[in-house]
C-alpha cells in the first residue's frame, strides 16, 4: 500500500507540473493518482486531526470555502483546502498532490473542502465530514440536476453525514427546516445564518431561493441565526454574532433573563451583493461551530479584510494597466444575483458563453434591466444571448464566435470614462479567457 501511495503521489505530481506548464490547471493529476491508488484521497484525509468541514450548495461554495479557510487560519490552525474550485474527487486529489509527502502524509490540522452537489453523497462517504455547511439550494445547472428538489435530496444526504455540526441558511426555503427532515444524530449541533428581514426583502430578486411551501414546514427567517447580516454598504457588511454557549446553540437569555449580548463586526466582501454577505455569515457561523470557545469574532474581520478573491467571483484583473471585473455565472441564480449587484449599467460590458452552458433557455427568465447595452458577445452560445437581448431591445455591438478575436476587440476599446470594463463569463469561458490573458494559476477539477 505504501509503495502504491508513493507511486500515486510522484506520478501525479509529474503530471501536475506538465499540466501547469501548458497553462492552467487540471483534474488529470488527481485522476491519475486515484487510478494508481484508489484509496489515496480517503486514507490521507482520514488522518487529519480535526477532520473535515464540507461546504456545499448551489452557489457560493468557492467563495465561502475561501473565507472559512482564512478565518480558521486566523485562529492558528493549519488548513488544507481546495482553493480553486476543484470540488470533485479528482480535483481534491489534485490539490492534495502539492501538500502531501511522498508517503501520502498531510501535515494539516483540519480540512475545509468545497464539494460538488452531484458528488456530495459519494464524497461524504469518503471524507466523513464532522461539520457540514449548506449555503443554498437554487435553480442550478439544469442539464445536471433538472430541478431544485433533486439537489435538496442530494444535500440532505450530505447533511446526514455530519457528526459534530450542521450549519444551514435560514433564508433558504429548502434549508430552513432541513435539520427536522434528516435523521438526528447525538452530539450534532445545528446552527443557522441569515440576514435581517429588511436586507433580505431589499434584494431585487430575494436571494434567488426556489419557493417551497410545504404545509407545516418552517419558513425563511423563522429560525434564530447564530450569525446575522445586519447592515450592508457596497462591499462592506456588518455581522452580528451570538456568543458561544455550552451546547453551541444560540442562547435565549443570560442569567439575569436578558438577551445575551451579540458582537457586531464589519467585514470586507469580495464584491457587492447580499449573496456575498450571506456567504460571509455562513463562513463565520461555521467557524464558530468548529472552534467553539476558541472562536474570536474580531479574527473574522482580520481574515476577511485581507483575503484574496477567488478567481471569477468578483475578481478584478489588471490587463495592460486597465482594471477589468470578472463576473462568473453558471446558472440562473448566480447570473441574476450578480446582475442585481451591479452599481448601474456598466459603460463597457462583454459576454462569453459556450457549451459549458448546454441549454441557456433559462435566460428568458432573467431580468437584464441592469444592462443598457452589450459591447460584444462570444462563445458558441453567443447568438442565443444576442437573440434574447434583441427581444429585450438591448443593443448589442458585435457577435463574434471567435473568442480570441472578440476579446481582442473588446480590450482595444478605450478605457471607460467612468468605472471599468466588465466581463460576464460562464465557468469554461472564464478559464479560457484567463489563460489567454496570461493568468494561468488554476487547479481546475470542478466548478463552484
Amino acid at each position: 500500500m505504501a509503495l502504491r501511495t508513493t507511486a500515486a503521489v510522484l506520478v501525479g505530481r509529474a503530471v501536475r507540473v506538465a499540466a501547469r506548464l501548458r497553462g492552467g490547471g487540471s483534474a488529470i493529476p488527481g485522476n491519475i493518482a486515484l487510478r494508481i491508488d484508489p484509496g489515496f484521497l480517503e486514507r490521507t484525509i482520514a488522518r487529519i486531526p480535526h477532520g473535515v468541514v464540507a461546504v456545499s450548495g448551489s452557489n457560493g461554495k468557492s467563495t465561502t470555502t475561501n473565507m472559512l479557510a482564512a478565518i480558521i487560519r486566523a485562529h492558528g490552525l493549519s488548513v488544507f483546502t481546495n482553493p480553486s474550485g476543484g470540488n470533485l474527487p479528482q480535483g481534491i486529489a489534485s490539490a492534495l498532490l502539492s501538500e502531501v509527502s511522498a508517503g501520502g502524509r498531510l501535515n494539516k490540522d483540519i480540512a475545509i473542502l468545497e464539494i460538488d452537489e452531484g458528488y456530495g453523497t459519494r464524497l461524504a462517504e469518503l471524507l466523513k465530514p464532522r461539520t457540514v455547511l449548506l449555503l443554498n439550494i437554487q435553480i442550478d445547472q439544469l442539464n445536471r440536476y433538472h430541478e431544485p428538489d433533486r439537489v435538496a435530496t442530494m444535500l440532505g444526504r450530505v447533511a446526514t453525514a455530519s457528526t459534530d455540526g450542521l450549519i444551514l441558511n435560514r433564508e433558504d426555503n429548502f434549508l430552513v427546516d432541513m435539520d427536522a427532515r434528516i435523521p438526528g444524530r447525538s452530539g450534532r449541533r445545528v446552527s443557522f445564518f441569515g440576514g435581517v428581514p429588511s436586507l433580505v426583502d431589499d434584494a431585487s430578486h430575494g436571494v434567488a431561493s426556489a419557493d417551497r411551501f410545504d404545509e407545516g414546514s418552517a419558513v425563511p427567517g423563522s429560525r434564530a441565526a447564530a450569525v446575522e447580516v445586519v447592515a450592508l454598504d457596497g462591499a462592506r457588511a456588518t455581522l452580528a454574532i451570538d456568543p458561544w454557549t455550552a451546547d453551541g446553540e444560540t442562547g435565549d437569555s443570560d442569567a439575569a433573563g436578558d438577551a445575551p449580548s451579540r458582537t457586531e463586526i464589519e467585514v470586507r466582501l469580495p464584491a457587492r451583493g447580499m449573496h456575498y454577505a450571506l456567504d460571509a455569515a455562513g463562513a463565520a457561523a461555521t467557524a464558530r461551530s468548529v472552534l467553539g470557545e476558541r472562536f474570536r469574532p474580531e479574527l473574522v474581520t482580520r481574515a476577511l479584510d485581507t483575503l484574496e478573491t477567488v478567481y471569477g467571483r468578483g475578481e478584478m484583473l489588471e490587463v495592460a494597466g486597465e482594471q477589468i471585473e470578472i463576473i462568473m455565472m453558471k446558472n440562473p441564480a448566480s447570473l441574476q444575483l450578480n446582475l442585481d449587484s451591479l452599481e448601474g449599467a456598466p459603460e463597457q460590458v462583454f459576454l462569453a458563453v459556450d457549451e459549458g452552458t448546454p441549454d441557456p433557455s433559462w435566460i428568458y427568465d432573467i431580468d437584464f434591466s441592469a444592462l443598457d447595452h452589450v459591447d460584444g458577445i462570444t462563445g458558441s452560445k453567443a447568438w442565443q444571448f444576442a437573440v434574447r437581448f434583441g427581444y429585450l431591445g438591448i443593443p448589442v455591438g458585435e457577435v463574434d464566435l471567435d473568442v480570441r478575436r472578440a476579446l481582442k476587440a473588446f480590450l482595444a476599446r478605450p478605457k471607460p470614462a467612468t468605472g471599468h470594463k466588465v466581463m460576464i463569463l460562464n465557468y469554461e469561458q472564464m478559464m479560457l479567457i484567463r489563460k489567454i490573458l496570461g493568468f494561468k494559476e488554476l487547479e481546475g477539477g470542478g466548478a463552484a
Side-chain angles (χ1 to χ4, degrees):
M1 186 64 69
L3 290 176
R4 178 178 291 182
T5 299
T6 299
V9 172
L10 296 179
V11 173
R13 282 179 178 170
V15 174
R16 183 175 181 270
V17 169
R20 292 174 71 85
L21 288 175
R22 291 176 55 240
S26 173
I28 295 175
N31 195 26
I32 290 175
L34 291 175
R35 284 180 177 272
I36 296 172
D37 181 6
F40 167 64
L41 176 59
E42 180 180 11
R43 195 167 52 253
T44 303
I45 294 296
R47 295 169 178 162
I48 298 177
H50 294 282
V52 173
V53 179
V55 179
S56 197
S58 298
N59 287 304
K61 296 185 291 296
S62 293
T63 294
T64 308
T65 299
N66 191 39
M67 290 177 170
L68 177 56
I71 295 169
I72 297 295
R73 288 190 183 108
H75 283 80
L77 275 69
S78 59
V79 176
F80 167 69
T81 187
N82 46 341
S84 60
N87 53 23
L88 306 180
Q90 60 268 29
I92 298 173
S94 286
L96 270 175
L97 291 171
S98 65
E99 303 262 5
V100 296
S101 68
R105 302 290 298 186
L106 182 63
N107 187 26
K108 299 294 182 181
D109 296 320
I110 190 170
I112 299 172
L113 300 175
E114 168 190 342
I115 65 173
D116 176 81
E117 309 95 291
Y119 279 79
T121 302
R122 175 60 178 150
L123 281 168
E125 292 173 354
L126 285 174
L127 306 177
K128 297 177 176 55
R130 296 183 186 180
T131 301
V132 170
L133 164 62
L134 298 183
L135 296 166
N136 44 60
I137 297 175
Q138 299 168 343
I139 299 175
D140 207 337
Q141 302 168 68
L142 303 184
N143 59 300
R144 291 185 69 194
Y145 305 125
H146 311 303
E147 56 187 15
D149 298 87
R150 185 180 180 195
V151 179
T153 299
M154 292 186 292
L155 292 186
R157 297 191 188 107
V158 177
T160 300
S162 63
T163 58
D164 294 358
L166 175 61
I167 299 88
L168 302 170
N169 181 357
R170 74 159 186 202
E171 311 305 341
D172 188 286
N173 291 280
F174 283 94
L175 298 178
V176 64
D177 62 349
M178 179 170 279
D179 59 317
R181 294 185 283 112
I182 63 173
R185 187 186 289 266
S186 176
R188 179 171 61 201
R189 299 180 299 272
V190 179
S191 53
F192 292 84
F193 65 96
V196 294
S198 59
L199 291 178
V200 174
D201 293 344
D202 283 348
S204 300
H205 295 87
V207 285
S209 175
D211 288 327
R212 180 178 64 84
F213 299 104
D214 289 349
E215 185 177 353
S217 69
V219 296
S222 67
R223 310 294 292 272
V227 180
E228 190 173 43
V229 184
V230 296
L232 183 62
D233 182 10
R236 304 289 299 183
T238 302
L239 307 181
I241 303 176
D242 281 341
W244 178 258
T245 60
D247 60 3
E249 299 293 342
T250 300
D252 293 324
S253 62
D254 59 20
D258 298 321
S261 59
R262 308 175 89 189
T263 301
E264 290 195 359
I265 60 170
E266 186 175 305
V267 298
R268 181 177 68 87
L269 305 176
R272 309 164 301 273
M274 184 61 179
H275 53 306
Y276 282 118
L278 287 172
D279 290 345
T286 305
R288 175 183 177 275
S289 179
V290 169
L291 296 165
E293 294 180 349
R294 294 175 294 169
F295 177 70
R296 297 291 179 266
E298 65 273 14
L299 294 182
V300 177
T301 296
R302 183 184 303 175
L304 299 191
D305 277 3
T306 58
L307 187 63
E308 291 187 7
T309 304
V310 178
Y311 64 83
R313 285 78 171 180
E315 181 182 30
M316 296 292 292
L317 297 180
E318 183 172 332
V319 179
E322 188 171 358
Q323 293 292 310
I324 301 174
E325 181 175 3
I326 305 296
I327 297 175
M328 188 189 77
M329 63 90 176
K330 70 178 179 105
N331 56 33
S334 64
L335 177 57
Q336 189 66 74
L337 290 169
N338 282 310
L339 288 172
D340 292 347
S341 67
L342 289 172
E343 295 180 333
E347 183 178 330
Q348 294 181 17
V349 61
F350 178 81
L351 186 72
V353 185
D354 64 7
E355 298 300 325
T357 305
D359 177 11
S361 59
W362 47 261
I363 61 175
Y364 285 83
D365 291 326
I366 298 296
D367 178 1
F368 283 101
S369 59
L371 304 178
D372 59 12
H373 78 289
V374 177
D375 294 289
I377 310 178
T378 191
S380 58
K381 301 295 183 182
W383 283 109
Q384 284 91 326
F385 278 79
V387 168
R388 177 58 178 143
F389 292 137
Y391 278 118
L392 291 171
I394 296 176
V396 173
E398 297 181 4
V399 178
D400 189 341
L401 301 188
D402 187 311
V403 176
R404 291 179 180 272
R405 189 168 59 208
L407 178 63
K408 183 177 180 181
F410 180 66
L411 295 177
R413 299 180 65 87
K415 289 185 179 181
T418 59
H420 49 261
K421 287 182 169 67
V422 173
M423 293 185 185
I424 302 174
L425 317 171
N426 72 345
Y427 181 81
E428 291 73 15
Q429 285 290 290
M430 179 197 69
M431 296 273 285
L432 174 61
I433 286 174
R434 288 181 103 264
K435 181 178 178 180
I436 293 171
L437 295 176
F439 297 90
K440 301 179 180 181
E441 68 287 359
L442 302 183
E443 293 292 342

